[in-house]
Amino acid sequence: MTYLFLPVEVKVRELDAKLLLAYYAAQEGFRVVIGEQTAVERAALELPRGIFFAKGYPDRYRSRVVKKMKTKGHRLVELDEEGLIMSDTNQYLQDRMNKANTEQIDQIYCWGTYQKELIENYMPQQNITLTGNPRFDLLKEKFRPLYKNRVKSIQASHGPFILINTRFAIYNPKKPSHHKNHEQYNYMKALFQHFSKLIEMIARQKPHQTIVIRPHPAENHRTYQKRFQSYDNVIIAPFGNVIDWILASQVVIHNGCTTGLEAFLLNKQSITYMPVEDHRYDVFLPNQFSEKVSTIDEVLQAIESPTTVQPTRKQQNILDHYVSSWSTGHAYEKIINALKQLNPQPKQPPQAISPIKKNKKAKYRFSRLTEKDIEQFFNKLNQIERKRTSFQVVPLGQDVYEISQS
């Protein structure tokens, strides 16, 4: 069996997609190690050589990962979680595509043609494969039963609600930071203030309407708790997979969030609120799949006038350019086929390793993962596939597991 190492940094964003890949990879003979990012890295340094599936990193962190994994003898592949939404392509290449590090990666997987062409033009010799991302496989009708029970639970707890997704980490960071670009900081500050006024207005005018705020994982959600603590109909929900919340909601409001595109693909009405605009910092892709409004009155009107989500020809063309595997096939299939081409042979058989300890600093990005969580997810996939595949799920330490088909 070939080891496949799947690190997860932000649990609520990445875990389900990595579990989806693990489910199908294990059936293809891979021995999968999955869990919190640093715990998987440590496991990869003790276990036999295999394939390390990098999730994309800023260059300084990336260089350390590349060096460690190559020294160990692992093959290295990468699918950058930040490769879909790029407001500044030059900055993206500078921060995440250092040529010296990238040349050591055996395969780079891309979300879509847009990202693939960008990297190819920058590094023509790189081995690049167009796969899509399993995160978007999960948005397809086939996999929606995975979320059925959790969606019902959310709806039972909160009733009908408006979901507001934010992306203001530059102004409202989880950890204190000194942002160098003051113009972008001021832009995000203005957006934050406009969104806050919007929420307050809806909360006052519609006291029986529940509003759920879902901050970006890098934001300080306590800022919202403090600001809206006097409103009984405003709930802060920084937990759980966003797919659950989108499916449970009536309508999604955002500005340049990936969730705007995800809502569209889940057939949910999506509104992009753009009270201020700056072409340097506005995010093109998700805003193309939402109803654009610029005033609070227009937001209120859009909420009162639900729309049917049907892609236009222009939207379909944009989608095909940015998101591979949406119209045909699945990303996990293309990734597994690419992984099989590497076929590294371990120098030694599977072995027991010392318990892997989790990085305590990663707690806010990766909450507890249990063996039961994995088994329940796989059982639901078995139901979808109408199979009875059994798996061995072995803990290697806190929040890191080895998975193989029984």
Side-chain angles (χ1 to χ4, degrees):
M1 284 188 177
T2 298
Y3 272 95
L4 175 61
F5 299 94
L6 297 179
V8 178
E9 181 184 18
V10 183
K11 182 182 176 184
V12 297
R13 181 179 69 176
E14 304 165 30
L15 179 62
D16 284 2
K18 294 291 174 62
L19 285 175
L20 183 78
L21 180 59
Y23 172 85
Y24 291 103
Q27 293 182 64
E28 293 294 328
F30 288 92
R31 187 180 292 271
V32 181
V33 175
I34 188 170
E36 189 274 323
Q37 173 178 288
T38 54
V40 172
E41 289 173 16
R42 291 168 185 165
L45 297 179
E46 291 200 40
L47 289 166
R49 68 182 183 184
I51 303 172
F52 188 87
F53 195 115
K55 57 164 296 297
Y57 311 98
D59 187 55
R60 184 177 297 179
Y61 191 91
R62 191 176 190 230
S63 64
R64 293 201 297 269
V65 171
V66 168
K67 182 178 180 180
K68 287 191 294 186
M69 297 308 153
K70 282 298 182 180
T71 300
K72 174 67 180 180
H74 294 305
R75 306 300 295 273
L76 196 60
V77 302
E78 181 175 280
L79 174 57
D80 192 352
E81 291 293 337
E82 307 296 337
L84 177 65
I85 305 296
M86 292 175 276
S87 56
D88 185 333
T89 55
N90 291 328
Q91 193 69 42
Y92 174 80
L93 293 171
Q94 179 182 327
D95 291 346
R96 306 179 79 84
M97 288 291 153
N98 177 280
K99 292 184 179 181
N101 294 326
T102 305
E103 287 172 354
Q104 298 184 65
I105 296 175
D106 296 283
Q107 295 175 340
I108 290 181
Y109 306 143
C110 288
W111 284 78
T113 304
Y114 178 80
Q115 184 194 14
K116 181 174 184 286
E117 291 178 348
L118 179 72
I119 299 173
E120 281 179 336
N121 290 334
Y122 188 63
M123 292 176 291
Q125 305 304 317
Q126 193 64 38
N127 184 3
I128 301 174
T129 304
L130 192 60
T131 60
N133 191 313
R135 277 172 56 186
F136 275 37
D137 288 343
L138 293 169
L139 304 177
K140 295 184 177 183
E141 191 72 37
K142 173 181 178 178
F143 294 111
R144 292 187 194 172
L146 288 169
Y147 303 98
K148 183 178 179 181
N149 291 338
R150 298 201 305 238
V151 169
K152 285 184 176 179
S153 176
I154 291 172
Q155 291 174 331
S157 298
H158 303 299
F161 64 89
I162 296 168
L163 178 63
I164 298 181
N165 295 297
T166 65
R167 63 173 183 103
F168 310 131
I170 290 174
Y171 172 69
N172 178 41
K174 186 178 289 288
K175 294 183 177 181
S177 65
H178 178 69
H179 197 265
K180 296 179 181 179
N181 189 334
H182 294 291
E183 291 181 343
Q184 188 177 16
Y185 176 89
N186 290 333
Y187 167 78
M188 286 299 178
K189 178 180 179 180
L191 271 182
F192 175 89
Q193 292 172 339
H194 278 288
F195 265 74
S196 296
K197 290 177 183 177
L198 170 67
I199 294 165
E200 289 170 349
M201 183 67 74
I202 297 174
R204 286 198 300 265
Q205 290 195 11
K206 298 176 177 291
H208 300 295
Q209 171 69 67
T210 300
I211 303 164
V212 174
I213 302 173
R214 185 179 173 82
H216 187 278
E219 277 193 83
N220 183 358
H221 65 268
R222 292 184 178 85
T223 303
Y224 295 100
Q225 290 173 336
K226 184 177 180 180
R227 177 129 189 182
F228 300 107
Q229 61 184 343
S230 62
Y231 295 95
D232 294 334
N233 58 335
V234 177
I235 297 166
I236 317 302
F239 48 84
N241 191 300
V242 73
I243 297 176
D244 299 334
W245 290 98
I246 292 173
L247 287 172
S249 70
Q250 294 174 294
V251 60
V252 174
I253 301 174
H254 72 100
N255 178 300
C257 289
T258 308
T259 51
L261 176 55
E262 290 171 317
F264 179 87
L265 297 177
L266 289 168
N267 308 116
K268 283 286 180 177
Q269 181 186 8
S270 177
I271 300 167
T272 179
Y273 179 45
M274 302 182 69
V276 294
E277 296 185 45
D278 189 321
H279 70 276
R280 295 172 298 175
Y281 313 124
D282 292 331
V283 184
F284 167 79
L285 183 61
N287 290 340
Q288 298 303 305
F289 294 88
S290 304
E291 180 181 356
K292 178 182 173 182
V293 299
S294 58
T295 68
I296 291 177
D297 286 342
E298 288 176 327
V299 174
L300 294 172
Q301 184 178 352
I303 292 171
E304 294 296 334
S305 306
T307 58
T308 302
V309 179
Q310 291 292 339
T312 63
R313 182 179 296 274
K314 178 183 177 182
Q315 287 174 324
Q316 189 61 55
N317 290 338
I318 294 172
L319 188 62
D320 291 341
H321 190 56
Y322 281 83
V323 184
S324 177
S325 298
W326 177 256
S327 300
T328 57
H330 294 94
Y332 71 81
E333 294 172 331
K334 296 180 181 181
I335 289 171
I336 291 172
N337 287 336
L339 291 171
K340 286 179 179 178
Q341 296 174 15
L342 296 176
N343 193 32
Q345 297 299 318
K347 290 183 178 179
Q348 68 267 32
Q351 59 194 42
I353 64 175
S354 55
I356 303 298
K357 294 183 179 180
K358 176 182 173 181
N359 181 1
K360 293 181 180 179
K361 294 181 181 179
K363 185 177 180 180
Y364 78 95
R365 289 180 179 269
F366 197 105
S367 55
R368 195 79 172 94
L369 175 65
T370 67
E371 185 177 342
K372 185 178 180 181
D373 293 334
I374 298 172
E375 291 172 346
Q376 288 179 339
F377 193 89
F378 282 9
N379 286 338
K380 290 178 183 177
L381 285 171
N382 271 340
Q383 292 173 14
I384 290 171
E385 295 291 2
R386 298 181 180 180
K387 291 183 176 182
R388 295 184 178 179
T389 308
S390 58
F391 300 86
Q392 285 187 316
V393 181
V394 180
L396 301 179
Q398 185 176 346
D399 297 330
V400 58
Y401 298 85
E402 181 180 303
I403 300 169
S404 58
Q405 184 174 345
S406 299

